[in-house]
Amino acid sequence: MDLSRFIQYIASGTAYTLGVTIIALPSGLILGIIFAIIYVYGGKIAARIMNFYSTIMRGIPPIVLLFILYFIMSGSINLTPFWAGSISLGIISSAYQMEIIRGAILSVSGGQMIAALAIGMSRMQAIRYIILPQTLRLAIPPWSNEAAIVIKDSSLVYALGVPEILRRAQLISASTQQPFLAYTTAAFIYFVLVLITNTLLGRLEKRLRIPANP
Amino acid sequence: MANHILTIKNLTKIYGDNVIFEGIDLTVDEGDTIVIIGPSGTGKSTLLRCINLLTKPNGGQIWLDDLEITAADVDEDNVRQHIGMVFQNFLLFNHLTALNNVKLGLVKVKKMDKAAAETKAFQELERVGLSDRAHHYPGQLSGGQQQRVAIARALAMDPRIMLFDEPTSALDPELIGEVLEVMRKLSLAGMTMVVVTHEMGFAREVADRIVFMEKGSIVEQGSPDDLFYRPKFPRTREFLWKITELYGKKEEEA
């Protein structure tokens, strides 16, 4: 097998890697935002439940959770490993993203909510038009860290048999006896994906920065 | 007799064992400017927060016109849009331009269409002399300018009454004048206002009535001349002149 076909074989897993990430990251974000709002504004009992959720999800290795969630899902609804794996990673990531968003909400001054209520907004309106736009801007730097983690953790679905980058590297390494080349190729692709993502998010952060005098 | 816009009866606020104020009675008539003064920690700011329902009182009642706003079934969001509030630390929405700060409530609360809201927001900025700063963000404005935008934001909602919570206390001395000037014009134009402030020059010139609060109750209230020259309690005279001396210097420097 020549080198270009070797590399191509591994690189063709990128579509799965991206697919898993593109499902897991936004679904984790949406859940994370909702959970963070419930945590901060939902009262004491809701905060306790959210804190429990966060502690459990962040206290167990992602690969273990992935298996548990996968077997729950494949036992109840008939999902392909790709979908079950992607959704599971999204759920795992939601706990981390909830903490990122919660931290950002808390660093937006409490006065912003009071000022919004004072002009007659409801709490929901205040969260939507005043708190979240400021929160999400603040959350971009820590969120880009989480994005990198999810891209890398997408490799975990190899354990469910999804033919993404790592899975393909493993297969071709076994068949060609070239483990070093196989895994460095995989490493390089992951690295480039993370680099591109972080660069794009860095630009987004600059573009959305609120103008202020120095 | 003028219409009561605001009526407060026997209002009490307690945090834990700490009585903030007790048995407050106050009425504000249409077009009046009431200035509340008193040492810090006497519950002046908390009183304003109770009036626009940002803090729940422990007892007593408040009416806005004929509506009892402390009643259990009242729509708080709806009440608040009729009460303008200006804060010590401005609290502009940091991610919005001056124009959008003023416009947001018109679009989202009053449900005005965007073009009409924009025109009105611009007019309100003009009223506080900041139409040339419409597209600046709060971080690009001076404290005095930020506070004037905050006043415009509250005015845009066409409130029945405006509450000012130490609006110049966080400002550098040279910026206080521009904010007081806006407030003075507003008072002359007939806006009903309740102002918590230490600016005695403003109080003497603009107030229809000065209310002196201390240790959680109203000690004395009356016209500026009565309180300055014919106070019923020596404590009132002592406080007024002490504050005038302290802040008068700052005003002269400005």
Side-chain angles (χ1 to χ4, degrees), chain A residues 91-131:
Chain A
I91 292 172
I92 295 165
S93 178
S94 74
Y96 294 88
Q97 298 199 48
M98 169 177 86
E99 295 296 348
I100 291 170
I101 303 292
R102 184 171 78 97
I105 290 177
L106 294 179
S107 64
V108 172
S109 130
Q112 294 285 309
M113 171 62 90
I114 289 172
L117 294 178
I119 58 169
M121 284 193 168
S122 66
R123 278 167 79 85
M124 279 316 292
Q125 282 180 318
I127 289 168
R128 180 164 166 207
Y129 299 114
I130 307 300
I131 305 297

Side-chain angles (χ1 to χ4, degrees), chain A residues 12-169:
Chain A
S12 63
T14 308
Y16 282 99
T17 295
L18 284 178
V20 170
T21 306
I22 286 167
I23 295 163
L25 201 52
S27 60
L29 177 63
I30 291 165
L31 285 176
I33 291 173
I34 294 169
F35 291 164
I37 290 170
I38 294 172
Y39 197 140
V40 177
Y41 297 108
K44 271 184 191 159
I45 295 166
R48 244 184 236 172
I49 293 169
M50 286 301 129
N51 187 34
F52 179 74
Y53 175 79
S54 163
T55 309
I56 294 284
M57 298 304 262
R58 294 185 302 139
I60 299 170
I63 185 82
V64 179
L65 270 176
L66 183 66
F67 280 130
I68 295 173
L69 291 169
Y70 173 66
F71 286 117
I72 291 173
M73 274 189 236
S74 60
S76 50
I77 33 177
N78 205 5
L79 284 178
T80 63
F82 171 77
W83 277 99
S86 304
I87 293 169
S88 298
L89 283 177
I91 292 172
I92 295 165
S93 178
S94 74
Y96 294 88
Q97 298 199 48
M98 169 177 86
E99 295 296 348
I100 291 170
I101 303 292
R102 184 171 78 97
I105 290 177
L106 294 179
S107 64
V108 172
S109 130
Q112 294 285 309
M113 171 62 90
I114 289 172
L117 294 178
I119 58 169
M121 284 193 168
S122 66
R123 278 167 79 85
M124 279 316 292
Q125 282 180 318
I127 289 168
R128 180 164 166 207
Y129 299 114
I130 307 300
I131 305 297
L132 278 186
Q134 297 184 53
T135 296
L136 295 179
R137 282 179 172 88
L138 287 171
I140 292 173
W143 195 79
S144 81
N145 189 37
E146 176 63 16
I149 289 171
V150 171
I151 291 171
K152 291 182 287 178
D153 278 1
S154 73
S155 61
L156 298 177
V157 299
Y158 95 97
L160 308 179
V162 179
E164 45 70 73
I165 295 167
L166 178 63
R167 178 79 176 168
R168 283 167 180 268

